[in-house]
Amino acid sequence: MIRPAITLRRKRMIVDVDTQRDFFLASGAKCIRNHRRVLVNIRRVMAWSRLKNVRMVSTVQGYDPSDREHPYCVKGTYGQEKISYTMRERNIRFAADGCTDLPRDIFKDYDQVILQKRCVDPCDEPRADRILSELAINDFIVFGAVAEDSVKATVLGLLARKKHVTVLTDATGSHDKAAAEIAFRQMEAKGAKLSDTKSLFGSTHLRLVGTCECDRCQGKVTKTSVA
Ligand SMILES: [Zn+2]
């Protein structure tokens, strides 16, 4: 009998989309709006995933330095790296090399599979497409960035594969508020459930982000003093 490459008893899985410094730090090449609030919520989801030992698939964008259309998430740069607390200790990375190889029973040995992609839609990368299609999991919790491109493409890809998807809207960043709203409605119309970290994990007193050096994240600027 041929054993499937990916087997997993746990029912839920997190899909963490492009939580990279260029998108989430004030100093990043393409920082989202409200990065502080989104980072706080991502930190909570990550704490929960560690506590409950929920496995993760993480996507990261990676572009060559010569690629002028993508002056962000450039391979090997600080900005391309994932936010530190979105990393699990037992992780394995795969380059975007067009291959579909995956070790057997990968989630027995690893809590997190990090997949590099050269595009916003993970289904355009053969290996990411394979893992999202073949995982014997039905419930996916999705967050990350950017709502109006990568997150939307990931969610629609999962829905097309008949998966149940919950999108954590308050742990998802965007560049354009109106476009993000439209994207969330499109995901919902296709069957995704929109939720937030507060509904799933209760309210929090956590305020500090602990990864971004900007004054807001360091607690030096209060809301009322921001013009
Ligand atoms: Zn910041």
Side-chain angles (χ1 to χ4, degrees), residues 41-190:
N41 293 328
I42 286 176
R43 201 172 184 181
R44 297 185 68 204
V45 187
M46 289 304 303
W48 171 80
S49 79
R50 285 188 185 91
L51 190 70
K52 300 287 182 185
N53 201 17
V54 178
R55 301 291 202 269
M56 302 178 64
V57 171
S58 302
T59 60
V60 290
Q61 294 183 44
Y63 301 102
D64 289 322
S66 58
D67 184 345
R68 290 184 178 206
E69 272 182 48
H70 299 99
Y72 52 91
C73 298
V74 176
K75 284 182 200 166
T77 62
Y78 179 82
Q80 199 230 344
E81 281 300 307
K82 276 174 72 56
I83 298 294
S84 55
Y85 46 74
T86 65
M87 298 287 293
R88 299 280 289 270
E89 228 168 85
R90 298 195 315 150
N91 70 71
I92 184 169
R93 286 173 178 269
F94 290 99
D97 53 12
C99 297
T100 59
D101 300 349
L102 283 169
R104 185 174 286 178
D105 289 338
I106 193 167
F107 284 107
K108 251 187 196 165
D109 297 323
Y110 301 100
D111 294 327
Q112 182 178 35
V113 174
I114 303 171
L115 301 164
Q116 202 160 94
K117 52 180 188 166
R118 297 157 288 190
C119 45
V120 298
D121 189 345
C123 301
D124 288 342
E125 289 290 355
R127 189 181 275 113
D129 178 36
R130 180 176 173 205
I131 205 164
L132 295 178
S133 301
E134 289 188 11
L135 271 174
I137 297 273
N138 258 327
D139 278 315
F140 290 87
I141 297 170
V142 183
F143 64 86
V146 175
E148 56 269 39
D149 53 46
S150 282
V151 173
K152 179 178 145 185
T154 306
V155 169
L156 296 184
L158 285 166
L159 292 169
R161 285 156 182 76
K162 310 282 184 224
K163 309 291 188 185
H164 296 285
V165 182
T166 301
V167 186
L168 299 180
T169 54
D170 64 347
T172 298
S174 64
H175 288 129
D176 179 330
K177 193 176 180 182
E181 269 307 309
I182 293 168
F184 285 134
R185 294 305 147 213
Q186 287 171 327
M187 297 178 221
E188 195 175 32
K190 293 282 182 187

Side-chain angles (χ1 to χ4, degrees), residues 24-26 35-36 39 212-214 216-217:
F24 284 88
L25 302 190
H35 69 286
R36 189 194 64 84
L39 279 170
C212 181
E213 299 293 323
C214 84
R216 282 178 67 199
C217 292

